[in-house]
Amino acid sequence: MSSSRIERIQRLFEQALALQPHERAAFLAEHCATDTDLLAEVTSLIAHDAQAHGGFLQTEPPVALNLDMTKKVGAERDAVLGRDRASGRPAVHEFQEIAGYQILRELHRGGQGVVYEAHDRVTKRKVAIKVLLEGPYASRAARRRFEREIELVASLKHPNIVAVFHSGQMVDGRQFCVMDYVRGVPLTEYIRSKKPPLEEALRLFATVCEAVNYAHQKGVIHRDLKPSNILVDVDGTPKVLDFGLAKMIGGPEQTVVSLTGQVVGTLPYMSPEQARGNPDEIDIRTDVYALGVIVYELLTGHYPYPVAGQMAEVLQHIAETQPTPPSRHWTAGCGVTQRSTKRLRSSHCPIDDEVETIVLRSLAKERDRRYQSAGELASDITSYLNGQPILAKRDSGWYWVKKFIRRRRVTLSITSATFLLLAFLSIATWASISTVRLVAASAQITGTAELPANSDPETASVTLENIKSLINAKQSRAAVTLATTYKDSNPQDPFRWVVLGWVWLEYFQRPSDQLKQHQESDALANAQIAYTTASALDAKYNSIAAQGLGHVYFLRGRQSGSVQEIQNAIREYSKAIEIDPDYPLALSNRGHAYFERGEYALAANDYARATRLGPDTLREYIPDAGRTYKNYATALRILGRPNDSVAAYRISLELDPRPYTSILLAVALADTGHANAIRATLNALRSPTSNTSWTSKIAACLCGDIAPETLIGYANGDDQLCEAQYYAGEVLLRAKKPAAATDTFSACMHTCGYVGKETLNECRLAKWRLGSPEVHNNNDAASGP
Amino acid sequence: MAAPAEPITQLLDAVNREDATARSRLWNLVYGELRTMAKRQLAHEPTGLGLQTTSLVHEVFLRLMGGQQVDWNNRRHFFGAAANAMRQIRIDDARHRLRLKRGGGQKPASLHDEDVFLDEDPAEFLALNEAIKELESAAPRQAEVVNLRYFAGLSVDETAAALGVAPRTVDNDWKFAKAWLHRRLNSADSRS
């Protein structure tokens, strides 16, 4: 159709529409004359115009603002598209007629909705129908999602999970789901009325854990486990209710906030990650935590920490307050009774050390310290019941001391720090004090094997070990306090100043959450003072101090993006190297500084000198020797030495097995012409067990499992976008699409520049690729959509 | 080739100069941004409301442009690229969902609809997409209006500003295109 023809059609269409409907026929007949095609065209368009109003071609409506409007829009769109909602979608029914069920009575009314007892007309069995509150389901997208969720939940078939049969939508838009009718009482009520011995309560609870574990294996997280969601039926069989519902209607974290007071019953079972409002962190271990609260309550009749009072306070307790040991909370009146096997007086607490350990392990604030699955929890309980050793360990005294420091972080005075130092000394019986350890510890701090000029090597050794442990446990503030105390006890000792400088640098690099920006720059200034003092006290420390000062400048430069600071860093590192040409830490750090500036030849030269000691020895001097090798490898690759690069990546992986390094190794291997290298290297990464992580997505893309565009699409956040674009470019390059690869590499650089991530290895490699000849050979077919 | 990270305005200028790769560089950038933002939006959206495509495109525009003044020609390139990117995302999404529907395998162990986030019936959407393609060849200007309005979520006034025409023209084209597409979708062979 020619464009003038279309224009003509459109003009007539507009003119006719401007007229009253009854005038249009005559108007068109007159203007189309004998062109019957034209007449038919315009007439049909006018007819369709009348139908194409409202939701047709509406982009996503502002559902969040106006739910009612959304519904109307959706209905209208269905109407204009000539679809009948009722026939197109199942399960829109009058209330009394829900999909062939007869409503008998209302069972329960709560924050989520209403539960009815009903009769299934076909199977003749009794069912429960939960009708959810109207609200978030108004949009079609949300409705679909709800249905998909229900489908997943309906796939759960387990004797201890209440079966969901199906779901649908009522005429008024509310969702319902039909489930098995269970005649039972909530778990806590059951325990309270029956007062079973400890073993029986635990056995019942282990059954619940196994059911939860089964659901986890099917990919369903409950998110709102609580005693009222666990019914015990007349046979004493526990049944877990409402799997996945919390996700669909907004988990407890939303419910409590919006319906304060009404649903506070949910609050005590909330996990620290939910209390902190980190929905991203919710996983199966969230359910493990809730199970921990439940078993705590079953055994003691209390919650692990105070849950009454202001919402903010309760949330803080959940997030931070360590649970009272259950044995201390137990009273004969509230908790489980004595163990059936041991004849003890009923006033005797049946909760022994092992049970307490199991409960507290489930209630760890950090997810990584909990049981990693409900199955692990169940199996430890079973082990306990069978008299076998449990896997959970109590947190060590050491851990608690660290906890103590962290909690007192703000108010910790020098005096109490000294006291703590004594505490460390008594705890640290495991630290067999020897000169060897001292040398090793100080080597990591100063990067040389020089022994401190210290009159008391025992104290030095223990202190250094303790400082290192604190830093490794991310308690860098406590480490600073300890190092300051150590320095204050003999301010004439340059070694102590060096230690302090090092701790400040570590503190800067591993800031704790509460740390403010200005404190960070103080950290660098403090490190600078410490190193300068050390070198002023004793010229023997000049190289160590120069190395440290270099690092101060380097970090400052990295933070501010100042070229001058990096230059200063190189100057200081060079001073250190001049005094001590084999100083591995200074060499490696100067390498990093050159690398930072994109001077890869100089960087590689320094890395080569630093790594002459070999990885095992280097690790003694440089804690993150893996990074030294990784950057060395990247520099070598950029310098066109693929085989050496591969070797260096391999060593880096041995020292520090990071998935990213595997990926970098894989693409470097491909450079060396090993066709199958990528798959072989990344096979473990792309395995289904880790298929949710970002690195496994990259691995999948490099292996050809997903398209490069898809990888870019998966990227979440700036770093990931840069990485995705670089690896997508590598894939395109190998697929002999150099032009598309060029575009993607430049998009990568563009993104990196935009978000200030030029220091990523991936960005450096993209830049290098743009400069390398392979991508310029010829043009492939146009890229883009 | 030394390729400094170019600011978006330079990239748009390059598109204006008909620099050969600029268009796809722009596309790549906008596409990546949109996907990222879509993910972010979905991740933070608590109760599973749909994706707000309109605000997405606007957000990406603000993010990339900052407070800079952008002339209409560059707006047109940007929103054109954004509309195309959004369209591609939705096509991918629809195809993906269709595959799932046809038993391509339900994702096993996840409740997160990572890439299933849009509203339409996927088949319905793909049919619409085909119809728009036909409109593109029959009436390119009207199709561009559809692209900007429907995929980039621009209002009539914004579309007019991006195309450098009067709002009234956009209005007319939009109305015409809607009738045309509606007819196309409801004619007997629209699903063939």
Side-chain angles (χ1 to χ4, degrees), chain B residues 126-151:
Chain B
L126 291 175
L128 174 64
N129 184 52
E130 287 305 309
I132 294 174
K133 270 196 209 158
E134 286 177 37
L135 182 65
E136 270 160 4
S137 58
R141 193 189 69 230
Q142 291 83 342
E144 192 173 4
V145 169
V146 171
N147 239 0
L148 292 174
R149 296 270 285 122
Y150 185 61
F151 290 109

Side-chain angles (χ1 to χ4, degrees), chain A residues 1-3 6-7 9-10 13-14 17 40-42 44-46 48-49 51-54 56-64 67 77-83 135-145 148-149 151-153 216-221 223 244 247-250 254 279-280 282 691-692 697 709-710 712-718 721 725 739-740 742-744 746-747 749-755 758 767 770-772 776 783-785, chain B residues 1-8 11 20-25 27-29 31-33 35-37 39-40 42-54 60 62-66 84-85 88 90 92 96-97 100-101 106-122 124 128 132 135 137-142 146 149-154 168-169 171-187 191:
Chain A
M1 202 178 300
S2 75
S3 67
I6 273 284
E7 293 306 325
I9 295 169
Q10 186 174 351
F13 169 81
E14 284 161 16
L17 279 178
E41 181 81 14
V42 177
S44 77
L45 284 173
I46 285 172
H48 279 281
D49 172 72
Q51 300 165 41
H53 280 307
F56 182 62
L57 289 190
Q58 189 91 25
T59 47
E60 197 73 24
V63 271
L67 294 166
R77 175 163 49 194
D78 278 0
V80 294
L81 286 175
R83 253 168 264 288
Y137 312 102
S139 92
R140 283 178 76 180
R143 228 163 41 227
R144 284 225 170 79
R145 211 163 298 163
R148 283 167 45 95
E149 302 268 5
E151 248 172 64
L152 245 170
V153 172
H216 287 170
Q217 285 169 349
K218 290 266 182 174
V220 183
I221 303 171
R223 289 166 172 251
K247 167 93 186 295
M248 296 173 236
I249 59 167
Q254 270 113 25
D280 294 354
I282 292 175
N691 67 353
T692 48
K697 284 186 184 122
E709 300 79 26
T710 313
I712 293 175
Y714 279 135
N716 193 350
D718 300 332
L721 186 58
Q725 285 168 330
T742 305
D743 280 346
T744 316
S746 61
M749 294 205 45
H750 196 102
T751 314
C752 294
Y754 181 68
V755 298
E758 283 109 330
K767 189 172 181 181
L770 284 170
S772 83
H776 298 299
S783 57
Chain B
M1 175 171 65
E6 49 189 336
I8 180 94
L11 187 52
T21 60
R23 204 170 273 277
S24 66
R25 289 210 301 280
W27 191 86
N28 251 319
L29 172 70
Y31 180 82
E33 285 283 324
R35 286 293 316 211
T36 311
M37 291 244 190
K39 296 273 162 197
R40 202 168 297 163
L42 285 169
H44 294 131
E45 162 226 44
T47 45
L49 299 171
L51 194 69
Q52 310 252 314
T53 55
T54 309
V60 169
L62 286 177
R63 189 173 136 87
L64 290 180
M65 298 293 184
N84 272 325
Q88 188 60 42
R90 296 175 71 164
D92 293 344
H96 176 72
R97 279 156 59 198
L100 285 184
K101 226 186 203 176
Q106 190 179 6
K107 279 202 287 179
S110 167
L111 276 180
H112 303 278
D113 324 4
E114 285 217 323
D115 32 20
V116 180
F117 51 72
L118 291 159
D119 193 0
E120 292 86 3
D121 178 327
E124 195 175 284
L128 174 64
I132 294 174
L135 182 65
S137 58
R141 193 189 69 230
Q142 291 83 342
V146 171
R149 296 270 285 122
Y150 185 61
F151 290 109
L154 298 194
R168 165 124 193 101
T169 312
D171 236 348
N172 288 337
D173 286 352
W174 175 239
K175 200 168 167 61
F176 177 78
K178 278 209 300 185
W180 196 97
L181 290 170
H182 190 273
R183 185 180 62 179
R184 185 75 198 84
L185 285 172
N186 288 276
S187 61
R191 290 295 166 100

Side-chain angles (χ1 to χ4, degrees), chain A residues 54-113:
Chain A
F56 182 62
L57 289 190
Q58 189 91 25
T59 47
E60 197 73 24
V63 271
L65 302 175
N66 190 335
L67 294 166
D68 289 343
M69 199 186 90
T70 315
K71 264 192 300 180
K72 211 171 105 227
V73 167
E76 271 182 23
R77 175 163 49 194
D78 278 0
V80 294
L81 286 175
R83 253 168 264 288
D84 179 0
R85 214 164 246 263
S87 68
R89 311 181 51 75
V92 178
H93 306 282
E94 278 302 330
F95 182 71
Q96 296 296 326
E97 291 292 326
I98 293 179
Y101 299 96
Q102 186 191 356
I103 303 288
L104 300 175
R105 67 191 172 100
E106 186 177 314
L107 289 171
H108 172 75
R109 191 171 277 270
Q112 300 181 338

Side-chain angles (χ1 to χ4, degrees), chain A residues 324-362:
Chain A
T324 309
S327 56
R328 228 182 290 165
H329 239 159
W330 179 88
T331 50
C334 307
V336 287
T337 51
Q338 86 278 10
R339 306 151 62 101
S340 52
T341 48
K342 294 185 186 168
R343 300 211 163 269
L344 296 165
R345 278 170 298 129
S346 65
S347 61
H348 193 282
C349 173
I351 301 168
D352 64 15
D353 256 10
E354 286 188 309
V355 174
E356 194 155 288
T357 303
I358 291 172
V359 174
L360 291 176
R361 180 56 69 192
S362 317

Side-chain angles (χ1 to χ4, degrees), chain A residues 600-715:
Chain A
Y600 299 113
L602 288 170
N605 190 35
D606 278 345
Y607 288 140
R609 284 173 69 184
T611 55
R612 222 163 18 202
L613 288 169
D616 292 333
T617 319
L618 189 65
R619 184 156 52 175
E620 301 282 308
Y621 296 103
I622 309 177
D624 63 346
R627 178 160 157 256
T628 305
Y629 276 99
K630 188 175 90 174
N631 284 359
Y632 187 21
T634 302
L636 287 170
R637 188 166 172 229
I638 289 172
L639 292 169
R641 291 164 59 187
N643 290 318
D644 296 337
S645 167
V646 164
Y649 277 129
R650 285 197 197 282
I651 298 173
S652 172
L653 268 173
E654 271 167 35
L655 290 170
D656 189 6
R658 286 169 187 270
Y660 274 115
T661 314
S662 302
I663 289 168
L664 286 167
L665 167 64
V667 287
L669 262 172
D671 282 357
T672 64
H674 292 85
N676 297 323
I678 289 196
R679 268 180 185 273
T681 313
L682 298 178
N683 223 13
L685 264 183
R686 60 192 263 265
S687 79
T689 50
S690 59
N691 67 353
T692 48
S693 76
W694 171 238
T695 43
S696 67
K697 284 186 184 122
I698 299 177
C701 178
L702 289 171
C703 292
D705 300 344
I706 57 173
E709 300 79 26
T710 313
L711 181 69
I712 293 175
Y714 279 135

